[in-house]
Amino acid sequence: MGFLHIGNYICTWNCSYEVKSSKITPTITSLELSKIQTFPCGIHGSDITPLILSAEVVNDDIMRVTVRDPGSLRFEVPKEIVPGPSRRIISNPALKFVWTERPFTFAIVRTSTGESIFNTSNERSDPIVFEDQYISISTTLPNGHRVYGIGEREGPLKVEPGRDVVMWNADPWSSAGVSCEEGINLYGDHPFFIELRGQGSSTSSHGVFWSNSNAKRFSASKEGDSLETKSIGGIVDLWFFQGPNPEKVVQQLTEVVGRPSLPPYWALGYHQCGLGQSNKAMLNEIMEKFDTLNLTCDVIWSDIDSMHNNRDFTFDPILFPESYANKFLVGLTSREMHWIPILGHCIVIDESHEPYSLGIELNVFAKDPETGKPLKSELWPRKCHMVDFSHPNATKYWTILLKKYYSIAPFSGIWIDMNGLFDFPHFCVILAIFKTHAKKNFNRAVEHLQWILRKWSCSFRQIQYSAMESSHAQGLEAF
């Protein structure tokens, strides 16, 4: 139920659905949901009806609930990204799906105790709202609960009552000891939380993951009795993990999203990296300092100032020439050290630049959905196109260029930077000025750049990102 204040009146609307038909097997419950014909919800468009809900017992520890629009193809996170568990043996499932018919609500319940770990029955909000650009689903929370997660964001891991967590990847910077505002969303998107209930030996845990790549918001009520999740697109695709302790919850989560990769042993050592540390004079000074202090360094990273005009797979002829890079890498190898250069997905529009011409040939650049032509942006190398990582030729594209790059400068790893949709021409101008001054007086250029960042504080929020729309090979449209 929703409420809208108009003058001295309170108008209500009902976003509820009812179950029109059902099909039940031992592991899958399929429901057709129809909008109850009352005053329409219409928060951000027309209510979609009917809806198809599927609740699947995936294995003994995991349950999945999806809600889809059968009349329209909506973007879903590809299975290549979220593969799901390979363990499908079901002998004694820990979770079950229960529901009410009118109005429709559902709960995920522990079979052993009957406890609901997720329950959409809430007097203050509708169980589910499903519109073209607005999806909402909420769960009640018991007294004494603790919710952790919903990253990546600045601030405590615990989600306190009244907390709103926005999930839309951003690149905020903090500098000169000034941290970004608490709660601000960061680079990653992890729509997952662990809820703990009880105390001491009676504590139990479970987890919830919403596989959705659109902008989202998780809102904990001020009273602490509910958690509402919202999205501007996609579908409802919820995974429930029975735990019953945090370690088991995380193990069950990684069954779905994939296990972490085991890093090489040297990657666990000391790494030296920083903008402004990629020129030959600074690198020589850094290496001498490590020797003087008798400190061990395992990895040197090179930032964008090592490139020629900020172009991928190039070397700045003055700050980091190719001839110096070769000698430098030989020296690193003799010390049993490693080198990681930076690469962006922004490829300068220049027919003489091989990464551009190859990208056109393999058709790997993200497209403007209106024209069908490669989308234009302005990033580090100025006017550029952006590689569409979901394109079937993307792997071939990067393989060709990285093989050639490796033959010139053998690297141990690659720093993939700025692989989202960005556009900030003002910062490109500042970086160009920095590099110009760096060739004359490097230390003064660094001081000037630091002064700018101090003025901006969490400055990437203040740089105006263009509102861009692009289409990808797998059907994703990003706004």
Side-chain angles (χ1 to χ4, degrees), residues 400-457:
I400 291 172
L401 294 172
L402 285 169
K403 277 186 175 181
K404 186 172 182 179
Y405 190 46
Y406 184 86
S407 67
I408 300 171
F411 50 82
S412 298
I414 290 292
W415 174 6
I416 302 176
D417 185 55
M418 306 298 294
N419 60 339
L421 292 169
F422 291 97
D423 186 35
F424 43 95
H426 302 303
F427 197 77
C428 294
V429 172
I430 292 168
L431 188 64
I433 294 172
F434 163 74
K435 291 196 70 173
T436 299
H437 286 294
K439 294 175 181 180
K440 300 177 181 177
N441 187 328
F442 185 81
N443 291 332
R444 182 70 185 92
V446 170
E447 291 173 2
H448 183 65
L449 181 62
Q450 290 174 340
W451 178 84
I452 294 173
L453 295 179
R454 281 196 298 272
K455 287 291 184 182
W456 279 345
S457 183

Side-chain angles (χ1 to χ4, degrees), residues 27-170:
T27 59
I28 298 178
T29 298
S30 297
L31 304 177
E32 180 184 347
L33 308 180
S34 179
K35 184 74 173 59
I36 296 177
Q37 295 304 314
T38 59
F39 190 78
C41 185
I43 296 176
H44 294 287
S46 300
D47 308 308
I48 294 176
T49 186
L51 297 172
I52 300 298
L53 179 146
S54 174
E56 178 187 3
V57 178
V58 178
N59 59 37
D60 282 349
D61 300 312
I62 301 172
M63 174 164 277
R64 183 187 187 188
V65 174
T66 61
V67 182
R68 295 180 172 91
D69 172 10
S72 176
L73 182 64
R74 299 170 67 88
F75 181 75
E76 301 182 25
V77 176
K79 193 172 181 179
E80 294 83 355
I81 306 298
V82 179
S86 57
R87 179 171 64 100
R88 294 278 177 168
I89 298 175
I90 301 172
S91 58
N92 186 25
L95 302 174
K96 65 179 179 179
F97 177 82
V98 299
W99 78 95
T100 60
E101 288 195 359
R102 181 184 171 96
F104 167 73
T105 65
F106 78 86
I108 307 299
V109 176
R110 291 191 186 275
T111 55
S112 60
T113 63
E115 177 191 26
S116 296
I117 67 169
F118 194 93
N119 192 333
T120 65
S121 179
N122 188 331
E123 293 182 356
R124 289 202 305 272
S125 62
D126 291 283
I128 182 171
V129 179
F130 202 117
E131 299 172 356
D132 185 37
Q133 291 186 323
Y134 183 83
I135 298 175
S136 173
I137 191 166
S138 63
T139 181
T140 56
L141 297 171
N143 291 332
H145 75 278
R146 287 90 71 203
V147 172
Y148 300 91
I150 314 177
E152 186 177 40
R153 56 190 168 84
E154 182 86 4
L157 187 63
K158 186 178 181 181
V159 181
E160 299 285 358
R163 165 70 72 190
D164 264 348
V165 180
V166 175
M167 309 197 75
W168 180 246
N169 297 4

Side-chain angles (χ1 to χ4, degrees), residues 68-339:
R68 295 180 172 91
D69 172 10
S72 176
L73 182 64
R74 299 170 67 88
F75 181 75
E76 301 182 25
V77 176
K79 193 172 181 179
E80 294 83 355
I81 306 298
V82 179
S86 57
R87 179 171 64 100
R88 294 278 177 168
I89 298 175
I90 301 172
S91 58
N92 186 25
L95 302 174
K96 65 179 179 179
F97 177 82
V98 299
W99 78 95
T100 60
E101 288 195 359
R102 181 184 171 96
F104 167 73
T105 65
F106 78 86
I108 307 299
V109 176
R110 291 191 186 275
T111 55
S112 60
T113 63
E115 177 191 26
S116 296
I117 67 169
F118 194 93
N119 192 333
T120 65
S121 179
N122 188 331
E123 293 182 356
R124 289 202 305 272
S125 62
D126 291 283
I128 182 171
V129 179
F130 202 117
E131 299 172 356
D132 185 37
Q133 291 186 323
Y134 183 83
I135 298 175
S136 173
I137 191 166
S138 63
T139 181
T140 56
L141 297 171
N143 291 332
H145 75 278
R146 287 90 71 203
V147 172
Y148 300 91
I150 314 177
E152 186 177 40
R153 56 190 168 84
E154 182 86 4
L157 187 63
K158 186 178 181 181
V159 181
E160 299 285 358
R163 165 70 72 190
D164 264 348
V165 180
V166 175
M167 309 197 75
W168 180 246
N169 297 4
D171 187 11
W173 272 16
S174 59
S175 62
V178 180
S179 60
C180 296
E181 63 181 275
E182 185 175 311
I184 195 171
N185 48 305
L186 305 175
Y187 244 18
D189 185 345
H190 305 280
F192 164 74
F193 64 86
I194 296 177
E195 183 186 344
L196 273 66
R197 298 178 181 180
Q199 299 290 337
S201 60
S202 63
T203 301
S204 66
S205 307
H206 61 269
V208 181
F209 166 58
W210 187 2
S211 183
N212 183 302
S213 63
N214 289 264
K216 295 173 290 296
R217 180 187 293 270
F218 286 71
S219 301
S221 66
K222 293 181 179 179
E223 297 79 9
D225 60 357
S226 67
L227 179 66
E228 185 176 17
T229 63
K230 307 171 187 176
S231 174
I232 63 169
I235 66 168
V236 174
D237 188 358
L238 294 170
W239 296 79
F240 301 94
F241 311 103
Q242 72 96 9
N245 58 56
E247 182 181 4
K248 290 292 186 183
V249 171
V250 173
Q251 289 175 1
Q252 292 152 17
L253 169 69
T254 58
E255 278 192 73
V256 172
V257 301
R259 305 293 193 193
S261 298
L262 186 67
Y265 183 69
W266 57 263
L268 303 177
Y270 182 84
H271 297 237
Q272 178 69 31
C273 174
L275 180 63
Q277 296 182 1
S278 299
N279 71 88
K280 56 185 181 181
M282 182 66 74
L283 284 171
N284 289 337
E285 182 180 336
I286 288 172
M287 298 307 295
E288 290 174 2
K289 197 72 173 179
F290 275 111
D291 290 340
T292 301
L293 298 175
N294 196 27
L295 294 175
T296 299
C297 181
D298 297 276
V299 190
I300 295 291
W301 295 57
S302 290
D303 209 326
I304 195 169
D305 47 321
S306 66
M307 299 178 181
H308 180 45
N309 293 332
N310 305 325
R311 299 184 177 198
D312 282 350
F313 308 105
T314 63
F315 302 88
D316 188 285
I318 297 176
L319 297 179
F320 193 70
E322 183 177 326
S323 58
Y324 172 80
N326 292 331
K327 296 178 182 178
F328 178 70
L329 293 180
V330 170
L332 290 185
T333 302
S334 67
R335 292 168 172 255
E336 297 184 349
M337 293 175 61
H338 300 266
W339 178 60

Side-chain angles (χ1 to χ4, degrees), residues 307 312-313 342-347 380 387 389 398 415-419:
M307 299 178 181
D312 282 350
F313 308 105
I342 192 171
L343 284 179
H345 78 322
C346 42
I347 305 300
W380 307 125
V387 178
F389 283 85
W398 290 116
W415 174 6
I416 302 176
D417 185 55
M418 306 298 294
N419 60 339

Side-chain angles (χ1 to χ4, degrees), residues 355-399:
Y356 171 80
S357 58
L358 182 62
I360 294 295
E361 178 186 337
L362 297 179
N363 194 31
V364 296
F365 295 128
K367 302 295 190 298
D368 184 321
E370 295 184 359
T371 66
K373 296 180 179 180
L375 187 71
K376 292 183 179 180
S377 180
E378 191 156 349
L379 290 163
W380 307 125
R382 307 305 295 271
K383 301 294 183 182
C384 62
H385 296 323
M386 292 168 288
V387 178
D388 174 4
F389 283 85
S390 72
H391 195 283
N393 286 338
T395 299
K396 179 180 179 181
Y397 173 81
W398 290 116
T399 300

